[in-house]
Amino acid sequence: MTERDKGSPASRFLVRQGSRGWMVYDRQRRGPAMIGTSLAVNLTKEQAERIERTLVDKRERGIIPD
């Protein structure tokens, strides 16, 4: 059973493959996540996964608003 099947809202951030490399997609922005003033694009998969975990953690702690 996936998180969506349990009725939990989908995560705001997700890792997906971009046109060149990997990116962290922000469902609220409907585009790449912002890291400071930079877009989270053209990353290795490992970099994107690390950034996603950091953003999810910050959101859960209330540092990033919903």
Side-chain angles (χ1 to χ4, degrees):
M1 183 179 282
T2 66
E3 187 174 316
R4 183 169 281 185
D5 294 334
K6 295 179 197 173
S8 298
S11 176
R12 175 176 168 180
F13 303 103
L14 65 120
V15 173
R16 60 194 285 189
Q17 196 160 16
S19 58
R20 294 185 314 181
W22 293 81
M23 66 183 287
V24 180
Y25 185 82
D26 182 342
R27 288 184 174 156
Q28 185 174 337
R29 289 187 70 243
R30 296 185 181 180
M34 294 293 296
I35 308 299
T37 59
S38 301
L39 296 174
V41 296
N42 302 329
L43 307 166
T44 66
K45 188 172 183 180
E46 294 76 21
Q47 288 171 320
E49 289 171 341
R50 186 172 56 249
I51 290 169
E52 179 204 23
R53 284 191 303 271
T54 301
L55 290 171
V56 168
D57 181 56
K58 286 182 177 185
R59 184 169 177 244
E60 288 174 353
R61 292 188 294 150
I63 297 170
I64 297 175
D66 290 334

